[in-house]
Amino acid sequence: MALRKYIPSSDAPSGSMKPLIFSSKGRENAQLAEPETSHRRVKDVDVDLSEVYFLIMHFLSAGPCQRTYVQFWNELLEHQLLPRRYHAWYSRRERLSGDENDNGLSFPLSYKSLEERYPHIEKNHLVKLLKQLLLNTASPSEGLISDVPNAADVPTLLGMGSFSLLSCDRVKGNGQVKHPPAHMRWPHRHADQVRGLSLREIGGGFARHHRAPSIRATCYAIAKPLTMVQKMQNVKRVRGHRNAVYCAIFDRSGRYVVTGSDDRLVKIWSMETAFCLASCRGHEGDITDLAVNSNNTLVASSSNDCIIRVWRLPDGMPISVLRGHSAAVTSIAFSPRPGSAYQLLSSSDDGTCRIWDARSSNLGARIYVPRPPDPVAGKNSGPSSSSGPQSHQIFCCAFNAHGNVFVTGSSDHLARVWNALKSNTDDSDQPNHEIDALPGHENDVNYVQFSGCVVPSRFSMADSSKEENIPKFKNSWYSQDSIVTCSRDGSAIIWIPKSRRSHGKAGRWIRHYHLKVPPPPMPPQPPRGGPRQRILPTPRGVNMIVWSLDNRFVLAAIMDCRICVWNAADGSLVHSLTGHTQSTYVLDVHPFNPRIAMSAGYDGKTIVWDIWEGTPIRIYEISHFKLVDGKFSPDGTSIILSDDVGQLYILNTGQGESQKDAKYDQFFLGDYRPLIQDAHGNVLDQETQLVPFRRNMQDLLCDSGPSRVHRLHEVKRSRPLEDNQGKHKGS
């Protein structure tokens, strides 16, 4: 190839190009183990950039980026950046030889000449050099954690190993190692590194503040949804209840699953082995809701027997019995506020809400009662001195991200916002009233939710090629105090808080967008003149509504089997997703990938959606029964589902080796034996006169066959129980 593109000036030869200097202190760290060389200082080495350019060009020549390869070739020729051939010392002279590229000392070699000159250099020589670098350098986590699997040990060129400039730069003068930025440090005490390795394998990232040092800002790096879901193919089916399981949740760590059923039982399961660890008995009605507190020590269950019971994780030991509601308890939620891990919020059909201390049955609850209407003006009046029964029911409640306020939805078509930090001014029975009422619906408000964590609307995406499919938004940030409410009137409303100046005053939230459910798509009609198909009206009520992980979208499960997705910034309908053939009451978003959502319905289908593109990623036909509840695991690698006949479905990655010994039917011998109850709600097993918790530890876990029994050891391994903790108050 002729070199005719660029003629360098005689006063600026290409040989004067400054070499790139790399620090070899990583090599020095690797030599610390050798006593004879531990104090030897290794000098910096000069790297010839022309050789680096040649290796890059050689690598590109065999790759798919051929246009880049040609452009790079032209750039190298123009600037004469390829290696040069130097004349022998006796033939060097100031006078040029006549070659236009000869400066008297050297002349550049063409790419073809370099290939012939260095036949041992293969196309992947650059990759082999980097691989050798990885093999010869120390592990990134060396010296931090010993004999523990670490996600930082996964080979990567972008990490903070001993060869990285970030971790090897030393403070000049004192020789101390400069620590990386705080956001790149690995929080060993809080992170689940084994699960981090599995996330890395399936193409996912780490949750915020639980990421490996080899991944920068992974909480904003979005993997392709198909990569996240394609290995979630192992399905384990077990049964531990006689009736429908309307409540199924994960604990905060993802190691345990808690289920609540209409058979009045609450059961705790091991996610690793799929064994039932504990059966919590005591309720006299259907289980209506479950909640796990923020420090992952307690699980609370509510029932239509008007009682809330609190159990210890993971062994199911009873902690407290919370009595005070006069009607069914419809919803419960633990406070997310730091320092308030034991504050439990409940709503009830008696028209009140209460905040309890979940650790004690003796402490009174803080009561919240809606402000009574003004009989003259028809508006809310001042404080009421009565906490008597209300004419409406409260169906749902939810805390905001800070835990200082909560919102409820009720049968009087209103959503209300309450101050969770407000306490009674005296010791009387004066209740607390709402700080704002949100009118706008024409039917029962059956679901409410605050927006989640504040997340920037711009991401560094792993699949940036799809960025053109993402709707553009007006705002870059969304408030944690924004509220979405839905109703069976076929609408949802986004409420946003006013300015900080109006904090604590009436009318603090204003209606931002009224999201109307569009009509369903019209079925295909026959040609003109043929019989016309009669179109029956379909219900367009909203069963459930959630925010997307990044607060950009609002997702709703509609009664006509669709999933509607709205843009939260302007209220426009983005997608109307079809795939279910019966009503859907399960809707959840992925814990760290904002593109992924999951829905399950009465048709037995579970569909994982890409809500950015509006397409199903994967459809699971796992049941012929109605799926009534389900959740993503905290690490995003598993899905738990429950149906109306007491079955539990576990969708996760891997081959299910650890779950192969778990039988289909898992019942304790005393699950449905009679109980006796004292005046405080504490119960004993009538046959053994033991606390049900104690009987579970003695009984065998049985499957459907009478001759096959399996004893569980997970509870005994979880933590030792003190004798005084095991004694029940009623015994």
Side-chain angles (χ1 to χ4, degrees):
M1 180 177 180
L3 303 175
R4 304 291 184 185
K5 281 212 166 269
Y6 181 75
I7 301 176
S9 59
S10 58
D11 56 344
S14 60
S16 63
M17 178 175 57
K18 292 184 178 180
L20 183 62
I21 300 176
F22 288 96
S23 172
S24 60
K25 293 177 182 178
R27 196 181 311 169
E28 180 183 349
N29 293 338
Q31 296 175 349
L32 292 178
E34 303 178 7
E36 64 274 7
T37 60
S38 59
H39 300 287
R40 185 182 304 171
R41 297 186 62 183
V42 181
K43 297 181 180 180
D44 291 342
V45 295
D46 295 344
V47 176
D48 189 353
L49 276 183
S50 61
E51 296 179 355
V52 177
Y53 288 132
F54 169 67
L55 292 178
I56 296 175
M57 187 172 181
H58 209 43
F59 172 74
L60 290 176
S61 64
C65 306
Q66 291 301 310
R67 286 183 294 179
T68 304
Y69 165 65
V70 174
Q71 181 65 26
F72 191 56
W73 189 328
N74 293 332
E75 293 281 347
L76 294 181
L77 293 179
E78 178 181 352
H79 300 288
Q80 297 188 9
L81 298 178
L82 287 175
R84 304 173 67 89
R85 184 186 184 281
Y86 289 86
H87 299 294
W89 63 273
Y90 53 82
S91 62
R92 294 178 185 176
R93 55 192 180 278
E94 296 298 331
R95 185 175 56 85
L96 300 182
S97 63
D99 190 335
E100 60 180 355
N101 296 305
D102 189 352
N103 59 6
L105 298 176
S106 63
F107 63 92
L109 295 172
S110 66
Y111 175 64
K112 297 298 183 183
S113 301
L114 289 171
E115 281 188 308
E116 297 174 357
R117 190 179 184 89
Y118 304 106
H120 65 283
I121 303 296
E122 300 177 356
K123 301 289 186 180
N124 61 345
H125 189 79
L126 181 62
V127 178
K128 290 182 177 180
L129 287 177
L130 295 176
K131 185 176 181 180
Q132 184 176 351
L133 177 65
L134 287 174
L135 294 175
N136 293 339
T137 51
S139 173
S141 59
E142 185 176 359
L144 296 177
I145 293 182
S146 59
D147 300 329
V148 177
N150 192 344
D153 294 330
V154 180
T156 175
L157 294 170
L158 307 178
M160 297 191 302
S162 57
F163 60 88
S164 172
L165 298 179
L166 285 175
S167 61
C168 295
D169 288 344
R170 296 177 179 270
V171 180
K172 296 181 179 179
N174 54 14
Q176 296 180 353
V177 178
K178 181 189 295 184
H179 294 287
H183 69 276
M184 294 185 65
R185 296 175 190 167
W186 176 250
H188 299 279
R189 294 184 179 179
H190 304 287
D192 190 343
Q193 299 164 9
V194 176
R195 290 191 180 275
L197 285 170
S198 65
L199 283 177
R200 175 95 177 221
E201 183 175 343
I202 67 171
F206 286 74
R208 187 175 178 87
H209 305 308
H210 292 261
R211 55 182 176 267
S214 58
I215 305 174
R216 289 197 65 174
T218 353
C219 55
Y220 299 146
I222 304 174
K224 292 183 179 180
L226 181 60
T227 307
M228 299 292 298
V229 180
Q230 63 182 355
K231 294 187 178 181
M232 197 181 297
Q233 53 192 3
N234 178 58
V235 180
K236 180 67 177 180
R237 182 169 61 106
V238 295
R239 184 178 68 173
H241 298 277
R242 286 180 177 176
N243 302 106
V245 181
Y246 284 103
C247 305
I249 63 172
F250 282 94
D251 77 321
R252 303 284 178 176
S253 67
R255 296 179 58 195
Y256 305 104
V257 173
V258 187
T259 56
S261 170
D262 285 356
D263 64 359
R264 306 178 180 183
L265 294 180
V266 174
K267 289 198 171 184
I268 302 174
W269 305 76
S270 170
M271 189 64 183
E272 179 184 359
T273 62
F275 274 122
C276 180
L277 305 181
S279 180
C280 306
R281 302 160 58 198
H283 282 294
E284 296 181 335
D286 304 341
I287 308 300
T288 58
D289 201 6
L290 297 170
V292 176
N293 68 338
S294 59
N295 61 9
N296 206 41
T297 58
L298 302 178
V299 58
S301 59
S302 62
S303 172
N304 56 15
D305 62 2
C306 315
I307 294 177
I308 302 170
R309 294 182 180 270
V310 182
W311 322 87
R312 189 174 70 184
L313 278 173
D315 52 25
M317 184 182 120
I319 300 298
S320 62
V321 180
L322 308 179
R323 303 159 61 95
H325 285 294
S326 58
V329 182
T330 56
S331 180
I332 55 176
F334 275 101
S335 173
R337 187 163 59 95
S340 303
Y342 301 105
Q343 287 193 2
L344 177 65
L345 168 67
S346 65
S347 62
S348 171
D349 281 345
D350 61 10
T352 67
C353 293
R354 296 171 186 251
I355 291 184
W356 316 76
D357 188 334
R359 296 167 293 183
S360 175
S361 307
N362 301 324
L363 299 178
R366 197 184 313 156
I367 304 176
Y368 294 83
V369 178
R371 202 181 302 274
D374 190 337
V376 178
K379 299 181 180 179
N380 288 344
S381 60
S384 171
S385 60
S386 173
S387 59
Q390 302 294 317
S391 59
H392 60 269
Q393 303 166 309
I394 297 181
F395 296 127
C396 50
C397 61
F399 276 107
N400 70 339
H402 300 294
N404 56 351
V405 295
F406 64 92
V407 60
T408 60
S410 54
S411 61
D412 60 354
H413 310 172
L414 291 178
R416 292 178 173 85
V417 185
W418 314 74
N419 188 350
L421 306 181
K422 182 179 179 181
S423 60
N424 295 333
T425 55
D426 51 27
D427 295 334
S428 65
D429 295 333
Q430 183 73 21
N432 298 293
H433 296 296
E434 69 271 20
I435 60 176
D436 199 2
L438 312 179
H441 289 291
E442 299 176 357
N443 205 329
D444 300 345
V445 180
N446 57 352
Y447 209 87
V448 295
Q449 191 183 45
F450 274 99
S451 55
C453 299
V454 177
V455 178
S457 65
R458 295 182 179 90
F459 295 88
S460 174
M461 289 171 290
D463 53 343
S464 58
S465 60
K466 300 292 185 180
E467 188 173 6
E468 64 272 8
N469 296 327
I470 307 172
K472 303 303 179 182
F473 301 96
K474 296 179 180 178
N475 300 7
S476 297
W477 298 85
Y478 300 97
S479 170
Q480 288 178 310
D481 289 336
S482 298
I483 303 172
V484 64
T485 61
C486 70
S487 171
R488 297 189 185 274
D489 61 3
S491 69
I493 301 177
I494 297 177
W495 310 84
I496 60 173
K498 289 184 179 180
S499 62
R500 295 181 180 271
R501 297 179 181 178
S502 60
H503 180 79
K505 299 181 180 179
R508 182 182 170 189
W509 275 262
I510 59 175
R511 184 178 356 185
H512 192 48
Y513 291 111
H514 201 132
L515 312 176
K516 292 290 186 179
V517 176
M522 297 290 292
Q525 294 293 332
R528 184 174 182 180
R532 307 297 291 176
Q533 181 179 357
R534 183 179 179 183
I535 302 175
L536 299 177
T538 57
R540 280 187 270 167
V542 182
N543 293 330
M544 180 177 186
I545 197 162
V546 295
W547 289 91
S548 65
L549 178 68
D550 54 4
N551 302 331
R552 288 169 140 190
F553 301 102
V554 170
L555 292 78
I558 313 301
M559 294 178 66
D560 61 6
C561 314
R562 289 179 297 160
I563 305 295
C564 288
V565 182
W566 288 279
N567 185 346
D570 57 13
S572 61
L573 181 70
V574 180
H575 301 296
S576 183
L577 309 177
T578 57
H580 290 285
T581 57
Q582 295 187 42
S583 295
T584 303
Y585 290 90
V586 180
L587 190 60
D588 195 23
V589 296
H590 199 270
F592 60 79
N593 193 318
R595 295 187 62 164
I596 301 178
M598 177 269 295
S599 65
Y602 282 4
D603 55 2
K605 291 182 182 178
T606 300
I607 305 179
V608 181
W609 305 92
D610 183 348
I611 60 176
W612 285 7
E613 296 187 357
T615 56
I617 305 169
R618 186 161 185 176
I619 301 177
Y620 297 91
E621 300 273 0
I622 62 173
S623 175
H624 299 291
F625 301 99
K626 298 177 180 178
L627 298 177
V628 294
D629 200 9
K631 293 288 187 298
F632 273 110
S633 63
D635 61 9
T637 62
S638 305
I639 297 175
I640 192 77
L641 296 161
S642 61
D643 64 16
D644 62 340
V645 295
Q647 297 182 119
L648 195 64
Y649 305 88
I650 302 175
L651 281 68
N652 53 15
T653 58
Q655 302 299 322
E657 292 294 327
S658 62
Q659 300 175 350
K660 65 180 181 180
D661 293 332
K663 302 299 181 181
Y664 168 66
D665 277 319
Q666 299 189 37
F667 294 93
F668 287 97
L669 295 177
D671 274 350
Y672 303 102
R673 305 309 297 167
L675 299 172
I676 55 177
Q677 185 174 156
D678 64 8
H680 301 287
N682 304 310
V683 296
L684 291 176
D685 184 80
Q686 186 174 349
E687 295 178 348
T688 62
Q689 294 296 305
L690 293 174
V691 182
F693 160 75
R694 286 294 183 187
R695 176 167 182 174
N696 286 345
M697 299 181 65
Q698 299 178 4
D699 282 349
L700 299 174
L701 183 66
C702 304
D703 61 8
S704 56
S707 62
R708 294 176 295 173
V709 294
H710 302 271
R711 184 178 297 276
L712 297 181
H713 303 283
E714 284 87 345
V715 175
K716 296 181 181 180
R717 291 200 307 261
S718 60
R719 57 172 144 174
L721 301 176
E722 299 179 2
D723 292 337
N724 58 349
Q725 290 179 335
K727 294 180 180 179
H728 198 276
K729 296 179 181 179
S731 60

